[in-house]
Amino acid sequence: MGEVDPAFVQELEHRPKLGIIAAEGIPIIDLSTLSSSDATPDRSQALEGLVKQVGNACRDWGFFQVINHGVSLEKREKIFNASKKFFAQPLEEKNKIRRDDKGALGYYDTEHTKNVRDWKEYPPAFLLREICEDYAKEMERLAFKLMELIALSLGLGPDRFHGFFKDQTSAIRLNHYPPCPFPHLALGVGRHKDPGGLTILAQDDVGGLEVKRKSDGEWTWVNPTPNSYTINVGDIIQVWSNDAYESVEHRVKVNPEKERFSIPYFFGPAHYAIVKPLEEIVNEQNPAKFRPYNWAEFMANRKRSNFQKLDVENLQISHFRTSKLADKLEGALSINN
């Protein structure tokens, strides 16, 4: 089998188990109600039920899958086929457009998560710009629908989040996970939480996504549902909801025999967005649990650790949590100034 590069080896406590614990309970939510234009009591009741399902999923899991979502299957297949065609090329061809210190865009296979190298590779989006842009329009439509449902589930107006995404910083990634002979040591992507608003994931039938179950901390396998999308709450929604909905840790296991393809869409707000708990949610009984932060500055810091190994963990929203001590210090500083 040979020896694995130490850069890929997870710490003992974070190494994956070779068995699978099925993530039974992660909801599969049917969005067909949204495509109906009937203004009937039945539709109103169905929409109310849909909002409740989404809210429960966000609260209990931080993850759910959606079916009958309205995304064109043809466009989904087109972007997957383009991704497979790129990754099928010899390494020497891919290396001709490899990312380096001079150019931030390019082919890359040395990304790090939690300072451990991921067993994956991805291409620069500019090679598939037309296909990606076409697919991104589908993802944007779905993202706004989901954000409206989440807003309603929090007791807010359906368009409450729209303004944050006026000049959005959303992105598509095309991931390829080659077969890995060391599935007990390496991960396709190490444990992490997504920093943005929502992530909408398309994956093939190989599977690999694991979610850290909130009830007991067990890593549980998300079984791919054909033509579905897997949705997860990002850090921003956790902050906006003031912890009502939690951004949950997840990771990707590798397969020793099969390659895997996935296409996540990261729905991010404008670069100038200030992220903080929403005014409608915060009150005396539910004080703000996070200090405000600027989205662009937050992400600039986070990305530093994606492409280099650091001695410390990258920036997390936990670093912006409020505390009585922090509040006292902030108050003292304001008085002294």
Side-chain angles (χ1 to χ4, degrees):
M1 186 179 285
E3 294 186 4
V4 62
D5 184 337
F8 290 106
V9 177
Q10 296 284 327
E11 294 291 337
L12 187 60
E13 64 182 301
H14 300 302
R15 290 177 190 173
K17 298 177 182 178
L18 296 184
I20 290 175
I21 300 176
E24 296 178 2
I26 290 185
I28 298 176
I29 299 177
D30 187 338
L31 298 181
S32 57
T33 299
L34 298 180
S35 61
S36 171
S37 58
D38 295 338
T40 64
D42 286 346
R43 183 183 184 276
S44 179
Q45 188 175 2
L47 181 58
E48 192 175 307
L50 178 58
V51 169
K52 187 174 181 180
Q53 286 183 68
V54 169
N56 289 342
C58 291
R59 183 192 66 232
D60 298 339
W61 281 95
F63 272 80
F64 55 97
Q65 295 186 67
V66 294
I67 58 174
N68 296 322
H69 39 66
V71 175
S72 165
L73 181 59
E74 179 184 357
K75 291 180 181 179
R76 175 176 168 138
E77 290 177 343
K78 190 174 182 180
I79 195 169
F80 265 105
N81 290 337
S83 176
K84 291 175 182 179
K85 184 177 180 180
F86 173 84
F87 288 119
Q89 296 180 100
L91 181 60
E92 54 266 28
E93 287 298 312
K94 292 182 281 191
N95 277 336
K96 290 178 181 178
I97 53 169
R98 176 172 284 278
R99 174 181 177 144
D100 56 29
D101 294 338
K102 296 179 181 178
L105 300 175
Y107 167 74
Y108 212 72
D109 62 355
T110 56
E111 189 168 36
H112 289 71
T113 303
K114 303 290 185 184
N115 291 319
V116 180
R117 187 173 168 185
D118 297 328
W119 193 277
K120 72 170 181 181
E121 56 179 350
Y122 64 89
F126 64 78
L127 286 181
L128 310 170
R129 177 174 286 122
E130 185 176 343
I131 296 173
C132 285
E133 288 179 350
D134 202 28
Y135 183 74
K137 292 176 183 176
E138 297 277 333
M139 291 294 95
E140 183 180 333
R141 280 193 289 269
L142 177 57
F144 274 114
K145 289 179 184 178
L146 293 168
M147 292 301 293
E148 289 177 2
L149 292 171
I150 291 171
L152 289 168
S153 74
L154 289 167
L156 306 169
D159 60 351
R160 177 62 177 90
F161 297 122
H162 286 195
F164 293 108
F165 297 93
K166 183 180 179 182
D167 300 309
Q168 60 184 266
T169 55
S170 302
I172 289 177
R173 288 281 296 269
L174 280 62
N175 294 326
H176 176 232
Y177 302 90
C180 176
F182 312 99
H184 58 299
L185 298 175
L187 286 166
V189 180
R191 71 196 193 285
H192 67 286
K193 299 182 179 185
D194 291 347
L198 279 181
T199 300
I200 302 176
L201 175 71
Q203 59 177 328
D204 62 18
D205 60 359
V206 174
L209 176 64
E210 285 192 321
V211 174
K212 196 169 188 178
R213 193 160 53 196
K214 291 177 68 175
S215 60
D216 57 10
E218 281 284 355
W219 286 105
T220 55
W221 179 271
V222 179
N223 196 41
T225 299
N227 300 325
S228 70
Y229 284 95
T230 301
I231 315 299
N232 67 278
V233 168
D235 289 346
I236 287 179
I237 288 181
Q238 179 169 348
V239 174
W240 281 340
S241 71
N242 205 35
D243 271 350
Y245 299 157
E246 182 183 352
S247 175
V248 174
E249 270 195 328
H250 50 287
R251 67 185 187 183
V252 175
K253 291 177 71 172
V254 289
N255 191 299
E257 300 172 353
K258 299 178 180 179
E259 62 181 342
R260 174 180 182 258
F261 296 88
S262 73
I263 303 176
Y265 173 78
F266 302 104
F267 194 46
H271 66 280
Y272 50 77
I274 302 299
V275 182
K276 62 180 181 178
L278 297 178
E279 294 85 351
E280 302 98 311
I281 291 176
V282 172
N283 53 47
E284 288 186 13
Q285 291 72 38
N286 185 29
K289 298 175 182 176
F290 297 92
R291 292 178 286 109
Y293 62 88
N294 173 263
W295 170 240
E297 292 176 3
F298 181 87
M299 284 307 296
N301 186 293
R302 278 285 289 256
K303 287 180 179 178
R304 286 181 56 234
S305 66
N306 286 352
F307 306 106
Q308 58 180 311
K309 186 170 181 176
L310 304 177
D311 295 327
V312 295
E313 183 182 29
N314 60 4
L315 190 65
Q316 306 290 331
I317 59 168
S318 58
H319 294 119
F320 294 90
R321 279 202 173 275
T322 58
S323 67
K324 291 183 179 179
L325 177 59
D327 291 342
K328 286 180 180 179
L329 288 173
E330 187 174 339
L333 289 171
S334 64
I335 290 173
N336 292 333
N337 290 336

